[in-house]
Amino acid sequence: MTLLVVATGNPGKLKEMQAYLTATRWQLQLKPPELEVEETGQTFMENARLKASEVAKATGEWSIADDSGLMVNALGGAPGIYSARYGKDDADRISRLLSELGNTRDRAAQFVCALAISRPDGAIACEAEGICPGEILAAPRGDNGFGYDPVFYFPEKGKTFAEMSDKEKHQHSHRARAFETILPQLDRLNG
Ligand code: IMP
């Protein structure tokens, strides 16, 4: 097994990533808590690369980072890379989103996830992006998931992400789609 340090302090994110990487030779581990990387990139991918590269150089191990968020068409792609900083907590972020959208008819949106993997010297070895298109509802529905899940309606299943089980969400999510693309690249890497 080769160690792959996840550039996050969030154990939930580590657990979800581990599920996508079962049956691979990669063993995930959380980054050291004192190691903070500032997200100064202008795109999801720039932030993912930055985090993976800095954590790899600081630990001397392979590293994987993701950066994700919600892009709403009628808001010109906002909140985008600022999704996590759009309000003080999930409820606040959702209420800001709904009030900015008001009764706009165009509710199209997409979740985006950028993934980057860095070699121990900080060089990016591979990267992938996953996109999940949907619509923003006028009011939240469902209790599962996190973040913007209760207002993100996924037409293919006729449910919001918060109305899906973890298993169901992980079959369709932006993160699942990014992992699907990066897995074959990972298999070809030499640890
Ligand atoms: P990150 O942890 O810097 O990638 O921030 C991602 C932010 O985007 C989170 O705090 C959420 O607000 C939002 N987000 C990303 N992925 C999801 C998802 O699957 N469901 C709901 N919100 C998400």
Side-chain angles (χ1 to χ4, degrees), residues 13 39 51 66-69 83-84 93 111 146-149 169 174-175:
K13 213 175 231 186
E39 299 185 11
K51 288 188 275 186
D66 84 329
D67 198 53
S68 57
S83 293
R93 288 186 272 270
F111 271 127
F146 71 100
Y148 300 92
D149 282 349
K169 178 182 166 187
H174 45 312
R175 216 163 280 109

Side-chain angles (χ1 to χ4, degrees), residues 15-116:
K15 195 166 154 243
E16 185 180 342
M17 287 189 175
Q18 191 77 70
Y20 297 124
L21 293 172
T22 48
T24 69
R25 66 188 171 82
W26 300 93
Q27 175 68 50
L28 295 191
Q29 183 180 293
L30 282 179
K31 74 167 173 60
E34 66 280 4
L35 180 58
E36 288 288 345
V37 183
E38 220 189 321
E39 299 185 11
T40 54
Q42 295 302 304
T43 62
F44 293 111
M45 191 55 83
E46 278 177 23
N47 281 332
R49 284 188 201 122
L50 194 74
K51 288 188 275 186
S53 186
E54 291 303 311
V55 169
K57 282 190 284 186
T59 58
E61 304 284 354
W62 287 79
S63 173
I64 182 168
D66 84 329
D67 198 53
S68 57
L70 179 70
M71 299 184 76
V72 179
N73 291 17
L75 301 179
I81 56 168
Y82 303 105
S83 293
R85 295 165 263 178
Y86 205 52
K88 65 178 187 318
D89 54 27
D90 282 346
D92 196 40
R93 288 186 272 270
I94 288 180
S95 97
R96 177 169 172 197
L97 175 68
L98 295 184
S99 83
E100 296 211 358
L101 264 179
N103 43 23
T104 311
R105 288 172 67 99
D106 177 8
R107 312 296 291 193
Q110 53 188 29
F111 271 127
V112 181
C113 172
L115 282 177

Side-chain angles (χ1 to χ4, degrees), residues 4 21 25-26 117 126 182-189:
L4 187 58
L21 293 172
R25 66 188 171 82
W26 300 93
I117 289 172
C126 56
I182 213 164
L183 274 178
Q185 301 182 57
L186 257 180
D187 284 342
R188 288 193 293 270
L189 287 176

